[in-house]
Amino acid sequence: LHTPMYFFLMNLSILDLSTISVILPKSMANLLLNTTAISYSDCAAQVFFFHVFGAADLALLTVMAYDRYIAICKPLYYKTIMERTTCIHMTASAWLSCVPYAALHTGNIFHLSFCKSNFINQFFCEVPQLLKLSCSDSYFSEAGVLAFSFLLVVICFAFISMSYIQIFTVVLRIPVREKQRKAFSTCIPHLIVVSLFVSNGSFTYLKPVSNSPSGLDLTASLLYSVLPSVINPVIYTKRNNDIKAAMRKLFDHILL
């Protein structure tokens, strides 16, 4: 499993674990203790780290699309282009470039004045819900950051889409059905994850925020914040023979 694709999958797994660790422990603690409170600093930390890991997740999914494009469309150059140092640099860029973005996002939000209420209609500190509580004139600066965020999402999604259009064009020309199936098995899970993450996240941030608690708001937030992190291991494990073979080998070694 020491190949670029699995190196990226390892980082994706770390990001998934980090993302749900930002929001679920506090929500579960509130549920068990029968409270609904979160401190101002904890809320700010949630917003910052959630956007760090969420943005890094999308950046890494874009890198993974490029990796699949090189592997399928330019296989003879794959080992030359996707060297270990290159993979490390690409992954580090995906992680580190999201820190200033998240800091800008968090600073803009918590620079606002929250005077309408101190009740958030969500199970974590979600930006649209926080903006609803603001009565500050700086609201438009955060709207600008949200527009910039949406532009970045569109660029990443367009890059991923173009990569897969070229990938599918090449794959459909492969005469051997078994090789087609293998190529699709490494691409389809990635497309499912990207589609879930981008569509639900965009829907949540672009739709008007309701004035009262809504089941639709909660469902949409779950679909983009928790569900991708939960189903990623299932999707990539169930549809990947290399991972299943490695797991069987590991279990056999442990039993022996």
Side-chain angles (χ1 to χ4, degrees), residues 82-147:
M82 301 303 291
E83 294 179 335
R84 183 164 183 80
T85 52
T86 304
C87 295
I88 292 172
H89 290 157
M90 292 171 72
T91 305
S93 299
W95 279 82
L96 296 176
S97 62
C98 300
V99 174
Y101 160 75
L104 172 67
H105 213 33
T106 308
N108 254 314
I109 293 167
F110 288 92
H111 180 68
L112 305 176
S113 299
F114 300 104
C115 58
K116 293 182 180 179
S117 173
N118 64 347
F119 184 77
I120 303 171
N121 296 324
Q122 195 52 268
F123 65 96
F124 70 104
C125 287
E126 189 180 47
V127 170
Q129 296 292 337
L130 290 171
L131 290 177
K132 188 181 71 171
L133 308 180
S134 172
C135 56
S136 174
D137 293 335
S138 302
Y139 172 86
F140 293 102
S141 67
E142 177 56 24
V145 174
L146 287 176

